[in-house]
Amino acid sequence: MEIGFDIIGDLYLSPNDEFNWEGKPTSLYCIVTGNVRSDIGKLQKTLKHLSECYKGVFYVTGSHEFDECNDIHDRIHTINHICQRTENLASLWHHVVILENIAIVGCNGWTTNSIHNKKVISHLHHEDLLYLKNSIKKLQTHGDVEKIIVISNSVPSEELYFNQIPNDYKTLLDLNHCIESDTEKKIKYWAFGNSSKPVNVNLDSINFLNNPYYKDTPYWPKRIGLEF
């Protein structure tokens, strides 16, 4: 049998944008790669709406969610609290979800951000990279896990910008360095955000893909499926 996941992200919804996802799901589950809304109230409304459209929504924060906050850690706590209180919605901040034989692990990544203190962003980036490496390493010997989906808001490597590197790109270690921990080759998909260029490529047996939203054009989920 197959488990399907709809990928959406980089919505960058403004206060006046109406978001209605009814009738659009193509899978039971949804992966949200961040950059949804900066306003916390409207972010909560959007995530709740998605959680009513799917059996499960797996979400990582994007840098956009922190545009209107003074304290990043306080905002992370608030978003995690929202996810805990919302049925069918899971924040992947330091939290791995396992469905059948598939593990879903994710993080923000903090590769680009021009608003907050550079030292804070660098610390968060290295914290997320270490978390990914350790989580993937542990999942190699997890008897119930045969496949892994990685989710990040950040583009996993400079290569995946395809010569369109943003001006605020930080010279930090690429997130895909965590792949060295995947000794059993369990990672099958890596869904990411933070890029306006549609990507769907296979590199080293891993399918890297995103699904950015272009305003004023029809937007649909990008579906992936894994056998279990």
Side-chain angles (χ1 to χ4, degrees):
M1 297 180 65
E2 182 183 82
I3 296 181
F5 300 86
D6 286 353
I7 297 174
I8 68 173
D10 293 325
L11 299 175
Y12 290 103
L13 298 173
S14 68
N16 297 323
D17 287 333
E18 292 295 329
F19 181 76
N20 186 351
W21 203 246
E22 291 180 6
K24 289 192 173 183
T26 65
S27 307
L28 287 177
Y29 300 99
C30 178
I31 289 170
V32 183
T33 59
N35 294 336
V36 178
R37 310 191 88 134
S38 57
D39 177 87
I40 194 68
K42 296 185 185 300
L43 172 65
Q44 180 177 11
K45 180 180 178 181
T46 303
L47 292 176
K48 185 176 186 300
H49 173 61
L50 286 171
S51 73
E52 293 168 347
C53 296
Y54 290 94
K55 184 177 180 180
V57 176
F58 309 109
Y59 164 72
V60 296
T61 61
S63 56
H64 185 54
E65 275 85 298
F66 298 89
D67 283 352
E68 296 181 4
C69 76
N70 296 318
D71 188 316
I72 290 178
H73 291 92
D74 182 65
R75 176 58 61 91
I76 290 173
H77 175 77
T78 299
I79 292 174
N80 286 337
H81 186 58
I82 288 171
C83 293
Q84 290 168 1
R85 291 186 305 166
T86 305
E87 189 175 0
N88 302 331
L89 176 62
S91 166
L92 294 179
W93 187 78
H94 293 190
H95 176 57
V96 177
V97 175
I98 297 177
L99 292 174
E100 301 296 340
N101 64 354
I102 301 167
I104 307 166
V105 56
C107 69
N108 181 307
W110 301 99
T111 303
T112 58
N113 187 294
S114 58
I115 296 175
H116 297 283
N117 182 280
K118 291 182 179 180
K119 288 185 178 180
V120 173
I121 295 303
S122 178
H123 174 76
L124 289 168
H125 169 79
H126 288 291
E127 187 178 70
D128 277 1
L129 177 57
L130 184 62
Y131 168 73
L132 277 185
K133 290 180 67 173
N134 289 339
S135 296
I136 292 169
K137 183 178 180 179
K138 289 179 181 178
L139 290 170
Q140 301 305 299
T141 56
H142 196 300
D144 295 330
V145 172
E146 297 178 7
K147 299 165 185 171
I148 299 173
I149 299 174
V150 180
I151 307 169
S152 67
N153 175 248
S154 296
V155 179
S157 71
E158 185 175 322
E159 179 182 10
L160 290 167
Y161 279 112
F162 296 99
N163 298 318
Q164 295 182 355
I165 302 173
N167 293 329
D168 65 341
Y169 184 81
K170 299 291 188 296
T171 54
L172 300 170
L173 196 63
D174 284 337
L175 284 179
N176 70 347
H177 277 77
C178 69
I179 294 174
E180 64 190 29
S181 297
D182 186 34
T183 56
E184 301 301 313
K185 304 299 182 183
K186 292 187 176 184
I187 300 176
K188 305 303 178 185
Y189 287 99
W190 189 316
F192 64 92
N194 226 15
S195 174
S196 60
K197 181 180 179 64
V199 176
N200 191 347
V201 297
N202 284 285
L203 299 172
D204 298 324
S205 75
I206 299 173
N207 188 185
F208 292 88
L209 71 166
N210 65 356
N211 189 22
Y213 170 51
Y214 299 97
K215 291 191 177 182
D216 301 321
T217 61
Y219 183 65
W220 301 95
K222 183 177 288 186
R223 188 181 189 278
I224 61 173
L226 284 172
E227 297 290 331
F228 69 93

